[in-house]
Amino acid sequence: YGINNESGIINVELSRTNISNMAGTTLESTVRTINSFKKEQIISVEGKKIKILDMEILSDNAGLIT
């Protein structure tokens, strides 16, 4: 979703509700996961903008092959 660019910023503004609907999870699970990723410095969040700080760890958490 958004534009894949060098800065790691997801170029789409999504609410937590939108993210949870897309992921098929509850809003509470989404908020907990986002907060966990922020604490682990995998992502940073400013308003509705999410910046991916560590794509490798994020991909590992998602079970993706990079």
Side-chain angles (χ1 to χ4, degrees):
Y1 227 92
I3 296 172
N4 183 11
N5 60 36
E6 296 291 321
S7 69
I9 296 174
I10 299 172
N11 195 22
V12 175
E13 290 188 11
L14 298 169
S15 69
R16 305 299 184 265
T17 301
N18 292 138
I19 294 169
S20 65
N21 288 336
M22 290 171 56
T25 65
T26 65
L27 178 58
E28 293 80 9
S29 291
T30 299
V31 171
R32 277 195 300 270
T33 301
I34 289 171
N35 287 336
S36 174
F37 286 170
K38 285 172 30 182
K39 184 177 180 180
E40 295 175 37
Q41 297 183 330
I42 298 170
I43 65 170
S44 65
V45 178
E46 192 172 315
K48 292 185 179 180
K49 295 188 181 198
I50 297 173
K51 182 174 183 178
I52 300 170
L53 302 174
D54 194 324
M55 180 59 85
E56 186 175 336
I57 293 175
L58 185 62
S59 295
D60 287 347
N61 274 284
L64 301 175
I65 300 171
T66 56

